[in-house]
Amino acid sequence: KEAEERARNRPRVFKEPKKCPPLGLESHKVEPDQLSASSMSQYHFAPQRARLNMQGSDDEDNIRGGAWCANSEDAIHWFEIDARRATEFTGVITQGRDSLNDNDYVTSYFLAFSNDSREWTTIHDGYADWLFFGNNDKDTPVMNQLAVPVVARYMRIIPQSWNGSLCMRLEVLGCPLPVNVLYRQNEVTPVDYLQFKHHSYSEMVDLMKSVNEECPNITTIYSLGRSSKGREIVAMIISGNPTEHEIGEPEIRFTAGLHGNEAVGREMILLLMQYLCKEYKDRNPRAQRLVEGIRIHLVPSLNPDGQEEAFEAGSELSSWTTGHFTNEGFDIFQNFPDLNSILWDAEDKGMVPKLTPNHHVPIPEHFEANSSIAVETRAIISWMKSYPFVLGANFQGGERIVAYPYDSLRLNKPAETEGMQNEPRVTADESLFRWLAISYASTHLTMTHSHHGSCQGDTPGGGLGIVNRAKWKPVTGSMNDFSYLHTNCLELSIFLGCDKFPHQSELAYEWEKNREAMLIFMEQVHRGIRGIVKDQQGNPIANATISIEGINHDVTTAPTGDYWRLLNPGEYRVTARAEGFSSLTKLCVVGYESGATACSFNLAKSNWDRIKQIMALHGNKPIRIAYSNSRVQYTTVNNGHRSVIGPSNGSSSNSRLSPEQRRKRKIALIRRLRQRKLMKAMSMRTTLPPTTTTTTTTIPTTTEATTSWYDSWVWGEGQSLLWMHIKKTVIYTIFTYGRNIFTV
Ligand SMILES: *[C@@H]1O[C@H](CO)[C@@H](O)[C@H](O)[C@H]1NC(C)=O
Ligand SMILES: *[C@@H]1O[C@H](CO)[C@@H](O)[C@H](O)[C@H]1NC(C)=O
Ligand SMILES: *[C@@H]1O[C@H](CO)[C@@H](O)[C@H](O)[C@H]1NC(C)=O
Ligand SMILES: *[C@@H]1O[C@H](CO)[C@@H](O)[C@H](O)[C@H]1NC(C)=O
Ligand SMILES: *[C@@H]1O[C@H](CO)[C@@H](O)[C@H](O)[C@H]1NC(C)=O
Ligand SMILES: CC(=O)N[C@H]1CO[C@H](CO)[C@@H](O)[C@@H]1O
């Protein structure tokens, strides 16, 4: 009480205290063996759990302590940090225990320092030990700065009072003193043209504008829409021709800041902009290949309101959730329509892909009116649909891992035996997603270092640095699942580290860790096949479907007819389908070398489609034909209008032949036609049901398993079908041969 009284009446220190960065309890730069304590209440509450923002779990099966907690039976309590070298300590940030139900936090403490961990000097105010006031709740970090820095190797926090149980999480601020030259060589030398600092919203926009001014002909800035407080969600395109989609060029996206306090991704994207601009101008061949071969969309902050909230709190005093949500309280990442249930329900009924498509699952109708969808989410959805994205990643924080979809969890079968493990549903592209995740994780400098465990204490990735989100921390309505099920784009989440908002002195090293991984990940967009689907006149076909045999997830062509299908190396049977065209299947081989395999299609109008066109011309009524020598006229049955159709220049063609030649030609032709008719009639009799209608009965053919029988009628050079009418089992057709019209 005396100490408290004195502390309250102590004159304020007006001198600005020296500021040092965190030693790295939160970021895990401080290793487990640097942390120790007088006692612990249970194994789950070991001193290693005392890191700022450590997340706990009260789950009975998997208890993870949300703090270090002392054994309440002890009389003396302390928590000790070994900085491993002489350090100038300048402050401490404390937080209570992360827990759903308990309110455990330390309200006051002493600080002591030592050079050998035996003799301790407690900070003193001249009369007695200096009492520091701690927390008032379990989550908000509270910082105490030292008026005068203390040089030492060890530091102890000696709790004096607490609420609930004695539990705490903390970060220590200090500047390590240089030991010798060798040590300094290990430190990263920042590249001078890059800005290693945290950006507020307006600083971020300014930086993007300056990159745009620096590299005007490879960059452009646009907006996805506005946040709920009216801030533009700004994006930059970097590409050889940034303002338009070039046919054949894939588009990819990097996004960050879905959660405003996850700051590393935002800064990595801003650094990537500066890097690509500078390296492109310096004619770095790799940067040039990337910029010219891909249209790269970079969105550093999808939740600008959250970004501002977290930025104001700062890198140390932002708690786990400061700015995580939008202004209206939504977690954007998991605010998307749940399409998984729709697809999985259809799958359970055996309807996929024959009756329900395995891709582009429609958004439920009530979505437009649903007030629990954030304005930011709506802007992102319409953005995702308006560019032909092939590959994307959203950067997040709080863990060190790449998570691939599905993010939503449904077990394959209901448990038959108690205790039996059921596997979650996996995407048809599981092995590709794993590859994409590994391409990032294994290139990142530290993501696969599993010897320290993961940030929150469980090791989900088994050391590979990748995890299926549904197996780890399932969420429904995620951006990744939505992207996979509603668009052509494969989207993953990249969690960049334990500390969501690290001190800005860490940014240079973060850039070193992520730079190569980001470039490698972008280059993966050239893995697989790509091509253009056109009709026989060379017009691109939009919205054509590309299916890969054995992978139950199709993609579609862009409005310009081009498509990309990311695939691991292998041989694939690829089928292109489009409304009104005969489908076509090809074998395309994806090799190990870089560069997508070209696999383009020219689709022929299906005969059926042409028949429908001709019938539509005549009001969908049967057409009667009449002969007059070699000139053919026919009339529509109903209205009596006579119309002379097309190839009636018979006389001009046949007039150059002698009558004998003409007769011989005719006989030969009739013979051929009889033969063909017989063959077709035989094959049809065996496959057509007795009351044939115009539905799709299919005949297996040698080439195409999926060709409709009316498409399989092979027409010779110069022949084409004009009209066909089907009545019971009799098929009437009109077709042309050369310049003559025949009927069968
Ligand atoms: C630790 O040693 C340094 C000199 O090496 C000294 O300046 C400092 O006061 C010592 N700290 C403590 C707590 O004894
Ligand atoms: C960009 O502009 C500069 C100068 O205006 C020019 O030298 C350069 O070739 C241009 N680059 C591209 C990709 O058009
Ligand atoms: C609105 O959207 C949320 C989140 O996707 C969903 O949980 C909810 O069921 C929807 N409400 C209606 C009425 O569709
Ligand atoms: C694309 O084709 C599908 C059927 O294959 C159709 O349902 C959908 O409306 C088409 N989309 C567009 C944008 O044309
Ligand atoms: C029909 O003949 C006329 C004149 O003989 C010619 O101008 C026209 O191009 C011909 N049409 C066709 C379809 O051959
Ligand atoms: C013993 C205990 O838990 N006391 C208080 C701790 O703080 C919370 C609020 O922060 C109170 O509700 C508890 O009563």
Side-chain angles (χ1 to χ4, degrees):
K1 278 214 175 102
E2 239 174 73
E4 266 182 45
E5 193 64 24
R6 261 201 318 282
R8 282 210 182 81
N9 297 331
R10 192 176 291 135
R12 293 222 10 222
V13 181
F14 290 104
K15 205 181 109 204
E16 181 71 11
K18 176 167 176 150
K19 285 202 168 75
C20 281
L23 290 186
L25 270 79
E26 183 175 14
S27 70
H28 287 232
K29 209 164 133 190
V30 169
E31 296 182 0
D33 62 355
Q34 292 178 258
L35 307 173
S36 56
S38 52
S39 68
M40 58 178 140
S41 63
Q42 282 182 56
Y43 170 74
H44 309 298
F45 297 101
Q48 286 70 32
R49 313 250 358 130
R51 301 169 185 278
L52 197 71
N53 285 320
M54 177 64 78
Q55 297 299 291
S57 153
D58 298 342
D59 182 359
E60 290 274 317
D61 297 332
N62 180 25
I63 298 180
R64 282 179 283 116
W68 158 65
C69 296
N71 182 351
S72 58
E73 283 162 19
D74 283 16
I76 296 171
H77 306 285
W78 48 260
F79 182 88
E80 182 176 320
I81 299 108
D82 173 5
R84 284 190 178 156
R85 60 197 264 202
T87 299
E88 212 176 356
F89 288 95
T90 59
V92 180
I93 299 167
T94 57
Q95 200 179 27
R97 170 185 163 203
D98 177 51
S99 163
L100 269 183
N101 304 314
D102 297 307
N103 286 291
D104 301 334
Y105 49 88
V106 170
T107 50
S108 68
Y109 54 86
F110 294 132
L111 289 179
F113 295 89
S114 167
N115 278 329
D116 56 12
S117 148
R118 284 192 303 274
E119 281 180 35
W120 291 89
T121 314
T122 306
I123 296 198
H124 209 263
D125 62 5
Y127 302 96
D129 292 344
W130 187 312
L131 188 73
F132 293 91
F133 292 116
N135 298 93
N136 300 311
D137 63 43
K138 58 188 167 186
D139 288 323
T140 314
V142 171
M143 175 161 70
N144 274 303
Q145 287 175 289
L146 305 181
V148 182
V150 177
V151 175
R153 173 173 163 178
Y154 299 90
M155 190 191 99
R156 270 188 186 178
I157 291 186
I158 304 162
Q160 296 300 301
S161 59
W162 50 90
N163 179 77
S165 305
L166 197 180
C167 296
M168 70 190 305
R169 295 178 283 175
L170 69 151
E171 182 61 87
V172 177
L173 307 174
C175 300
L177 297 181
V179 189
N180 54 40
V181 185
L182 246 178
Y183 200 94
R184 245 181 277 164
Q185 280 176 347
N186 276 339
E187 272 158 23
V188 183
T189 3
V191 188
D192 54 2
Y193 69 84
L194 297 171
Q195 252 188 42
F196 294 108
K197 67 180 285 267
H198 284 296
H199 292 82
S200 70
Y201 176 76
S202 63
E203 289 168 344
M204 175 187 87
V205 173
D206 288 347
L207 175 65
M208 289 171 72
K209 282 183 183 156
S210 79
V211 171
N212 180 230
E213 277 162 23
E214 192 79 11
C215 289
N217 43 8
I218 59 160
T219 62
T220 183
I221 297 178
Y222 67 100
S223 166
L224 273 62
R226 282 177 187 275
S227 71
S228 79
K229 282 192 172 175
R231 295 188 176 95
E232 301 277 4
I233 304 174
V234 281
M236 174 178 279
I237 298 180
I238 303 188
S239 190
N241 187 0
T243 50
E244 58 193 62
H245 172 72
E246 288 178 283
I247 295 174
E249 188 181 52
E251 307 211 8
I252 74 169
R253 61 178 185 234
F254 276 141
T255 57
L258 286 152
H259 309 133
N261 54 346
E262 294 167 4
V264 187
R266 174 186 70 229
E267 297 307 328
M268 292 304 111
I269 287 180
L270 292 176
L271 287 163
L272 184 63
M273 290 173 185
Q274 300 167 59
Y275 175 84
L276 286 176
C277 166
K278 177 75 161 61
E279 295 297 313
Y280 181 85
K281 279 185 22 178
D282 289 353
R283 303 188 188 283
N284 170 340
R286 190 181 187 196
Q288 287 187 316
R289 261 200 314 278
L290 277 168
V291 169
E292 271 154 22
I294 310 174
R295 197 162 178 229
I296 305 162
H297 297 246
L298 302 174
V299 192
S301 181
L302 286 175
N303 175 6
D305 298 345
Q307 172 187 357
E308 277 304 83
E309 191 190 341
F311 184 83
E312 276 159 25
S315 61
E316 270 36 78
L317 300 181
S318 274
S319 75
W320 188 251
T321 55
T322 312
H324 183 91
F325 304 99
T326 66
N327 184 48
E328 298 165 309
F330 295 109
D331 180 334
I332 306 177
F333 179 68
Q334 42 194 296
N335 190 229
F336 288 77
D338 169 20
L339 305 180
N340 299 58
S341 309
I342 299 174
L343 180 77
W344 292 340
D345 288 346
E347 274 179 3
D348 289 345
K349 293 177 190 147
M351 287 158 65
V352 180
K354 287 221 164 63
L355 298 170
T356 308
N358 58 18
H359 64 109
H360 290 81
V361 177
I363 296 174
E365 277 168 26
H366 50 70
F367 169 77
E368 276 305 321
N370 191 333
S371 58
S372 19
I373 308 289
V375 289
E376 291 87 352
T377 313
R378 289 179 195 275
I380 297 166
I381 289 176
S382 78
W383 173 65
M384 287 164 94
K385 291 164 74 160
S386 49
Y387 293 91
F389 290 118
V390 183
L391 178 62
N394 51 78
F395 290 115
Q396 300 192 35
E399 196 44 83
R400 204 171 30 198
I401 205 153
V402 181
Y404 59 89
Y406 289 126
D407 294 359
S408 180
L409 176 68
R410 185 185 285 189
L411 298 178
N412 271 327
K413 270 186 230 150
E416 281 162 13
T417 330
E418 192 128 338
M420 214 177 79
Q421 283 283 314
N422 284 315
E423 286 296 301
R425 304 246 171 157
V426 295
T427 63
D429 287 291
E430 167 91 354
S431 63
L432 176 65
F433 270 122
R434 287 179 63 85
W435 168 263
L436 292 169
I438 281 181
S439 76
Y440 198 97
S442 64
T443 315
H444 186 278
L445 292 190
T446 58
M447 211 170 260
T448 51
H449 293 187
S450 57
H451 50 279
H452 294 155
S454 70
C455 302
Q456 312 306 332
D458 44 358
T459 37
L464 286 175
I466 70 168
V467 71
N468 169 231
R469 179 77 194 242
K471 281 189 186 168
W472 172 45
K473 286 181 181 172
V475 288
T476 47
S478 82
M479 179 173 173
N480 300 351
D481 283 359
F482 177 82
S483 179
Y484 184 65
L485 294 181
H486 190 71
T487 74
N488 290 326
C489 182
L490 304 182
E491 172 96 14
L492 294 84
S493 294
I494 299 175
F495 291 80
L496 291 176
C498 304
D499 191 346
K500 290 178 170 182
F501 198 161
H503 190 266
Q504 79 183 26
S505 61
E506 295 293 319
L507 290 176
Y509 185 41
E510 286 300 327
W511 171 244
E512 287 305 308
K513 289 195 278 192
N514 287 289
R515 187 193 62 230
E516 181 64 18
M518 290 194 284
L519 302 182
I520 287 274
F521 186 83
M522 289 196 278
E523 285 164 353
Q524 300 315 307
V525 80
H526 296 307
R527 190 185 181 86
I529 59 172
R530 63 184 225 184
I532 304 180
V533 181
K534 290 181 175 168
D535 67 14
Q536 290 189 316
Q537 281 71 49
N539 304 311
I541 303 175
N543 197 25
T545 307
I546 306 293
S547 315
I548 309 291
E549 191 178 285
I551 302 181
N552 194 5
H553 182 83
D554 301 342
V555 298
T556 55
T557 54
T560 37
D562 39 356
Y563 80 90
W564 303 262
R565 183 61 170 93
L566 301 195
L567 292 166
N568 280 325
E571 279 186 14
Y572 298 95
R573 281 175 65 83
V574 185
T575 304
R577 289 189 186 81
E579 182 88 33
F581 293 88
S582 301
S583 60
L584 195 58
T585 301
K586 275 189 175 182
L587 189 71
C588 295
V589 180
V590 178
Y592 286 87
E593 66 281 4
S594 72
T597 304
C599 189
S600 288
F601 294 86
N602 281 315
L603 298 187
K605 279 257 182 212
S606 70
N607 285 335
W608 182 240
D609 199 57
R610 284 158 60 196
I611 293 163
K612 281 195 292 191
Q613 275 178 4
I614 291 164
M615 288 179 72
L617 267 177
H618 293 273
N620 289 326
K621 296 285 167 18
I623 307 160
R624 195 164 60 207
I625 59 166
Y627 290 89
S628 71
N629 294 333
S630 52
R631 185 182 294 256
V632 180
Q633 299 177 334
Y634 59 86
T635 59
T636 55
V637 176
N638 284 13
N639 52 20
H641 288 300
R642 293 173 69 91
S643 54
V644 181
I645 284 277
S648 53
N649 276 11
S651 51
S652 65
S653 141
N654 281 0
S655 59
R656 271 179 271 118
L657 303 169
S658 71
E660 180 61 13
Q661 279 173 317
R662 252 187 265 170
R663 202 180 59 86
K664 274 188 179 162
R665 259 196 164 193
K666 216 164 189 171
I667 290 171
L669 177 62
I670 288 168
R671 250 193 223 130
R672 256 185 290 153
L673 289 169
R674 279 217 186 106
Q675 228 171 1
R676 188 168 293 148
K677 191 176 94 181
L678 260 174
M679 277 168 55
K680 295 295 164 188
M682 277 163 67
S683 66
M684 267 175 225
R685 211 175 301 135
T686 54
T687 51
L688 290 182
T691 51
T692 308
T693 59
T694 55
T695 51
T696 56
T697 311
T698 58
I699 308 175
T701 62
T702 44
T703 50
E704 286 302 307
T706 50
T707 314
S708 305
W709 62 267
Y710 44 76
D711 286 338
S712 70
W713 198 316
V714 182
W715 297 89
E717 189 71 29
Q719 295 180 21
S720 61
L721 184 67
L722 279 186
W723 177 81
M724 180 158 60
H725 179 64
I726 301 159
K727 198 172 181 185
K728 290 285 169 71
T729 53
V730 186
I731 302 169
Y732 306 88
T733 64
I734 305 170
F735 60 95
T736 63
Y737 184 84
R739 288 172 172 160
N740 299 299
I741 298 185
F742 291 88
T743 177
V744 176

